[in-house]
Amino acid sequence: MPVTGRSHDRRAVVLCCLVFLLYAASAFAAELPEGFVYLDEIAPTVAQEVRYYGEDNFVGARVDGYLAPRIIAARQVAEGLKTVQAELKPFGLGLKVFDAYRPQRAVDHFVRWARDLDDTKTKAKYYPDVPKSKLFEQDYIASRSGHSRGAAVDLTIVSLDDGAELDMGSGFDFFGPISWPDTDAINAQQRANRLLLRRLMLGHGFAPYPREWWHFSLKDEPFPDTYFDFPIQ
């Protein structure tokens, strides 16, 4: 039986309704709590490498809560990074962000991983000289994180020409004294690169962390007592 014009119109209306509902559901799913933003909407030229969305991280797997390779942060963090990016640009340099807001479920994933002493597949790359049983004691893993308050960011400096990271003496998320900002186990150029990042971040309201050269937190946090758990999507 041939399709009538009326039947065709009904199908077109149904299809349009389905498309609208899918779009609306997607927009709702991506809505962020007030005060949070996607970094690429505030500072689109800042490079992103969301390590916890993939498997190249100390856990060796995608981390709970990372459903998309995007960086979310408190608006003040994103605005600060935008300003730092602008200061670096005339020198052919820019920022690369590895992580900012981190769901509490991701922190819980880190804790479970750290307690599983039999899982050491990433030890050679990420913590060769630190016993996994000591990661809590030495403050590399904790059950609470400023990242979950939206106030912390992990980042480095890159060349705008080719995206190459400046040599900081150790890689992101390497657990060991060589990653401490005040280590004397790095050369002069590596120390200068770390100092550049540190001075820029300090100049825009961020404070460093004594165990990780890449980690900085807002001095004036917008949510100092709230640990969020919405997923990154």
Side-chain angles (χ1 to χ4, degrees):
M1 177 181 296
V3 177
T4 66
R6 182 174 297 176
S7 177
H8 178 78
D9 290 344
R10 283 199 299 267
R11 291 185 181 182
V13 171
V14 170
L15 180 59
C16 288
C17 289
L18 287 174
V19 170
F20 174 78
L21 289 172
L22 288 172
Y23 174 81
S26 175
F28 178 77
E31 185 176 353
L32 299 177
E34 184 175 356
F36 284 86
V37 296
Y38 287 103
L39 179 61
D40 56 14
E41 295 178 354
I42 301 297
T45 63
V46 172
Q48 300 184 21
E49 185 180 337
V50 188
R51 291 285 191 88
Y52 300 141
Y53 178 74
E55 297 181 355
D56 184 12
N57 55 63
F58 65 87
V59 175
R62 183 182 297 184
V63 177
D64 292 354
Y66 287 79
L67 307 183
R70 298 187 75 183
I71 296 292
I72 295 172
R75 179 173 291 276
Q76 293 91 329
V77 171
E79 294 289 355
L81 297 181
K82 180 180 179 179
T83 306
V84 172
Q85 181 81 350
E87 289 196 21
L88 285 169
K89 184 178 179 181
F91 303 96
L93 300 173
L95 296 175
K96 177 194 280 188
V97 176
F98 299 112
D99 196 36
Y101 162 71
R102 181 182 303 164
Q104 181 60 43
R105 70 191 73 182
V107 177
D108 296 341
H109 189 165
F110 293 169
V111 170
R112 291 196 307 273
W113 170 84
R115 288 174 175 164
D116 182 2
L117 301 184
D118 294 327
D119 180 359
T120 57
K121 64 183 179 181
T122 64
K123 181 173 177 58
K125 182 174 182 178
Y126 286 100
Y127 56 107
D129 303 315
V130 180
K132 193 174 184 182
S133 61
K134 300 292 186 180
L135 292 179
F136 288 105
E137 179 182 324
Q138 297 186 18
D139 294 329
Y140 294 113
I141 301 291
S143 61
R144 293 289 191 179
S145 171
H147 283 281
S148 299
R149 301 192 298 269
V153 60
D154 296 334
L155 76 173
T156 191
I157 298 175
V158 298
S159 167
L160 293 180
D161 288 337
D162 57 9
E165 298 177 15
L166 298 194
D167 183 2
M168 297 292 183
S170 73
F172 166 64
D173 262 358
F174 184 87
F175 299 155
I178 197 171
S179 293
W180 300 358
D182 61 354
T183 183
D184 59 2
I186 56 177
N187 63 40
Q189 185 60 60
Q190 294 163 344
R191 188 174 295 109
N193 292 340
R194 290 189 185 188
L195 184 59
L196 174 60
L197 178 61
R198 181 187 180 98
R199 284 185 172 176
L200 285 167
M201 297 300 285
L202 283 171
H204 292 283
F206 293 87
Y209 178 60
R211 287 289 191 271
E212 301 169 349
W213 60 259
W214 57 84
H215 179 109
F216 295 85
S217 299
L218 279 176
K219 296 177 183 177
D220 186 13
E221 294 190 31
F223 311 107
D225 302 312
T226 305
Y227 294 85
F228 295 87
D229 193 36
F230 60 90
I232 297 171
Q233 57 188 343

